[in-house]
Amino acid sequence: MSDTHPPQPKLIKPRVIAFEVTRRCPLHCRHCRAAATAQGQDPLSTEQCKAILEGVAAFTRCVMIFTGGEPMERPDVVELIEASRALGLRPVMATCGLHINDESIQRLRRAGLLALSFSLDGATPETHDAFRGWNGAFGAVESAIACARRAGVSFQINTTITRHNVDELPAIARQAVELGASCFNPFILVPVGRGRELEDLILSPDVYERVLHDLAKLKATLPIDVRVTCGPQFARVARQRKIPAAHRVPGCLAATEFAFISHTGEVQTCGFLEISAGNLVEHDYDFGAIWAGSEYLQSLRDTSRYQGACGTCQYLAVCRGCRARALTMRGDVLAADPICVLTRRSEGP
């Protein structure tokens, strides 16, 4: 008798994992996925964090992004970076820059940190500081970048794109080049955490499509790399415009090449999609068992289950749509990405 069950999609080990080591942060960014605050305790101890790193390293050797909140709020973050490097992981860190100075950057570098990411959400102090909720945030980033450059630590610039700053996108990209970044990494807003309050700032399908084409032009012309996060349709546009190395531009990496570990040890597909595939503390820190065995993760890998315009799209294999926006804005993780122009054309106004 033949097996009537369809074959499971090939299991891919993540090449990048983001570890949310804290939800504490001195800033109050309007779009914060974690709704981070300056108060509170970190649920995971140093030893538990190290056990999580060991569990990951036993399954895959990947880039490990220390994120938050603000990871520098943890007094043991240098120890955790050192531990990850000793395990064969490649540690990097996402930071607001407030705690980066010549002394701290040297501690991070000696511990084995390979790179940093800084956020610029506006081309001017006025627009950036208003979005980040702290006067002086722009200056703090500039100061931190100067420290990184003096220490010889590579860094990239991240920008969350909303209606608030979409017209400043070319200027921010130029700043990334002028500041010496190795990469410009725009994020397309997903309304989670405090970002739920910004639904009026989500890009419309037409504006989003224009932004994707602008980013494709930047990727083809800027002297640094351009990567797009939470904008999987960039994979389609890159191929349509036939930009150099378009075939290497990925769509959504949820449940395949990217994973997220929350501040409580939950394994998620990304920080914007708060569905847990399993808690590492409760599963003896066995990341591989959760990654391979979760029915939820298997469902996301099986694109034949995708619905609506995404399910019938000719670009499904390279794009997959944003699963987090589908869940947040439509209530179904397998639904069509609501801000994709092809979804709108399929479903009508």
Side-chain angles (χ1 to χ4, degrees):
M1 182 180 296
S2 63
D3 187 354
T4 59
H5 296 285
Q8 288 292 330
K10 179 183 177 182
L11 179 67
I12 299 174
K13 293 183 178 182
R15 57 182 177 84
V16 179
I17 295 178
F19 187 5
E20 179 191 57
V21 291
T22 183
R23 281 200 168 179
R24 289 182 290 123
C25 182
L27 301 187
H28 195 271
C29 302
R30 296 180 64 192
H31 64 298
C32 182
R33 164 199 57 75
T37 67
Q39 307 301 318
Q41 299 293 321
D42 297 321
L44 296 173
S45 68
T46 302
E47 293 310 312
Q48 287 175 316
C49 287
K50 287 183 177 180
I52 286 173
L53 295 172
E54 290 169 3
V56 168
F59 181 69
T60 183
R61 301 300 170 91
C62 63
V63 173
M64 177 61 68
I65 305 172
F66 288 86
T67 186
E70 169 51 56
M72 292 293 287
E73 289 283 307
R74 280 194 73 118
D76 61 357
V77 68
V78 171
E79 184 179 350
L80 297 179
I81 289 169
E82 192 171 39
S84 69
R85 190 65 183 272
L87 288 165
L89 302 173
R90 300 189 294 283
V92 299
M93 188 170 69
T95 175
C96 69
L98 283 178
H99 299 307
I100 299 297
N101 52 44
D102 288 328
E103 181 183 354
S104 64
I105 196 74
Q106 289 297 340
R107 290 200 305 269
L108 293 167
R109 187 184 62 80
R110 287 193 297 268
L113 187 77
L114 299 176
L116 292 161
S117 69
F118 299 107
S119 291
L120 274 183
D121 293 312
T124 67
E126 291 75 20
T127 52
H128 176 79
D129 290 2
F131 200 63
R132 305 297 286 189
W134 195 76
N135 290 332
F138 188 91
V141 171
E142 287 188 317
S143 176
I145 287 172
C147 292
R149 294 186 67 170
R150 283 194 292 271
V153 176
S154 177
F155 66 92
Q156 69 178 47
I157 295 297
N158 297 345
T159 300
T160 298
I161 302 176
T162 70
R163 294 186 185 186
H164 162 87
N165 63 357
V166 65
D167 292 333
E168 296 186 5
L169 180 60
I172 299 172
R174 287 195 299 272
Q175 282 185 330
V177 175
E178 293 166 0
L179 289 168
S182 63
C183 173
F184 177 51
N185 189 182
F187 285 62
I188 309 302
L189 178 65
V190 179
V192 298
R194 276 198 294 270
R196 292 182 186 276
E197 302 169 5
L198 303 181
E199 290 199 17
D200 61 323
L201 293 183
I202 295 172
L203 303 180
S204 68
D206 285 336
V207 172
Y208 177 43
E209 186 73 4
R210 173 174 63 81
V211 166
L212 292 173
H213 284 269
D214 289 345
L215 288 171
K217 183 178 179 180
L218 287 171
K219 185 172 179 66
T221 57
L222 282 185
I224 62 174
D225 192 15
V226 175
R227 292 195 295 265
V228 181
T229 299
C230 302
Q233 291 80 11
F234 189 56
R236 164 179 59 83
V237 171
R239 287 161 175 79
Q240 289 173 330
R241 293 179 65 98
K242 297 182 173 59
I243 67 172
H247 64 286
R248 296 180 184 173
V249 177
C252 178
L253 301 178
T256 56
E257 295 185 36
F258 182 84
F260 181 90
I261 300 171
S262 80
H263 70 303
T264 57
E266 306 292 345
V267 176
Q268 302 171 198
T269 59
C270 75
F272 300 97
L273 215 173
E274 291 190 345
I275 298 177
S276 176
N279 185 280
L280 285 163
V281 178
E282 297 171 0
H283 287 78
D284 198 27
Y285 303 98
D286 192 340
F287 179 88
I290 294 174
W291 189 251
S294 166
E295 293 185 7
Y296 159 61
L297 295 182
Q298 290 171 10
S299 72
L300 292 186
R301 294 170 188 139
D302 184 1
T303 55
S304 69
R305 301 189 188 190
Y306 288 21
Q307 302 166 9
C310 280
T312 58
C313 183
Q314 63 177 309
Y315 295 99
L316 175 60
V318 297
C319 172
R320 298 174 71 206
C322 177
R323 298 301 98 216
R325 266 195 303 270
L327 177 64
T328 302
M329 299 176 68
R330 295 199 156 186
D332 188 340
V333 72
L334 299 177
D337 188 335
I339 72 168
C340 177
V341 71
L342 300 186
T343 297
R344 192 201 60 188
R345 291 172 185 170
S346 173
E347 299 177 352

